[in-house]
Amino acid sequence: MPTRRPLIAGNWKMNGRLKDLAWVETFAEAVSADNCDVLVCPPAILLHAFAGAFQGQGISLGAQDCSPEPDGAYTGDISARMLKDIGCTHVIVGHSERRDGHGETDALVRRKAEAALNEGLTPILCVGEHLQEREDGRAVGAVLAQLAASLPDADATRLVIAYEPVWAIGTGRSAGPDEAQEMHAAIRAAWPGADGAQLRILYGGSVKPDNVEALMACADIDGALVGGASLDPASFARLVNLSS
Ligand code: 13P
């Protein structure tokens, strides 16, 4: 049974200012876990400012989105190549706030993941069902269909999957450990390669210091993608400490 090192990732979404460089110091003072990977994804405009500060503290730098194109006339877009150049190691693709808020299709998400892989970045590919799908008993089918349609062709060690039920994001209503574990096990079982045991699958959706331990105790939950609770450095440090 391969051991999958936990990964706790913070997604700041559209939050943060230059003055929040102080976040790094407060986090570093409070964090004590050393057997857990830590990744933070600030807004694109802050990536450069935070790159150096994170490096000194062993925090990996991630972006929240990338273009499917390598370069060119795409006003306002940022390529995976640019993210790599600035020091990113990871990029989130297919977050529901982009799928639902910006009309991103599975096919586009797949192209973005491929663009990231082409530049040597690790895509964090997000999938998750809407409330109606869960209430109708279609959650597993919906997520596996979304995954199959947006998954690039890659070894399990080259990407990360984040299961984020849409109804749990920013609502304070996390999936229960049993619900999350069921979905994570289904995702792992559906992995097309022979290396599914190495795939890191994160849970996201209202993860807080008070529920992270129960989630992390589940066999197929390998970490968390944390929104709101990653904005407060002390809270994020507590979350990391409780996850390792
Ligand atoms: P919250 O932790 O704020 O619910 O956000 C989860 C999320 O969308 C992380 O990508």
Side-chain angles (χ1 to χ4, degrees), residues 3-211:
T3 47
R4 297 181 297 268
R5 196 173 152 86
L7 169 63
I8 303 298
N11 174 10
W12 287 2
K13 308 190 178 185
M14 198 171 71
N15 296 291
R17 298 284 187 278
L18 270 182
K19 67 175 168 51
D20 295 318
L21 275 169
W23 185 101
V24 183
E25 204 175 319
T26 310
F27 174 79
E29 276 167 15
V31 78
S32 57
D34 55 7
N35 57 343
C36 178
D37 291 338
V38 178
L39 169 75
V40 174
C41 305
I45 199 164
L46 293 179
L47 287 171
H48 191 235
F50 277 83
F54 284 170
Q55 202 173 23
Q57 300 299 341
I59 304 170
S60 298
L61 183 71
Q64 299 174 14
D65 183 37
C66 70
S67 168
E69 307 293 343
D71 275 313
Y74 302 98
T75 301
D77 287 351
I78 296 175
S79 69
R81 187 171 296 172
M82 292 168 177
L83 298 176
K84 176 84 174 179
D85 185 47
I86 216 165
C88 288
T89 53
H90 294 69
V91 57
I92 298 169
V93 294
H95 193 284
S96 63
E97 287 156 12
R98 296 213 59 87
R99 290 178 184 267
D100 294 348
H102 295 261
E104 294 197 2
T105 61
D106 289 331
L108 177 62
V109 172
R110 181 184 166 136
R111 288 183 58 223
K112 289 184 173 199
E114 287 168 348
L117 288 164
N118 285 341
E119 297 301 330
L121 294 176
T122 301
I124 299 179
L125 173 57
C126 300
V127 290
E129 82 282 3
H130 291 89
L131 184 59
Q132 195 63 53
E133 291 167 322
R134 175 146 298 266
E135 287 179 345
D136 293 349
R138 294 186 286 123
V140 172
V143 166
L144 294 187
Q146 197 181 35
L147 182 66
S150 47
L151 190 64
D153 188 10
D155 292 349
T157 52
R158 293 201 57 209
L159 54 68
V160 172
I161 303 295
Y163 166 56
E164 298 206 311
V166 178
W167 49 269
I169 295 176
T171 59
R173 180 186 164 197
S174 166
D178 292 348
E179 280 173 315
Q181 166 57 26
E182 180 196 26
M183 188 66 79
H184 283 228
I187 290 170
R188 197 179 306 287
W191 182 254
D195 55 354
Q198 296 187 61
L199 179 68
R200 289 207 282 194
I201 309 174
L202 313 184
Y203 169 77
S206 297
V207 177
K208 309 272 184 260
D210 63 5
N211 62 13

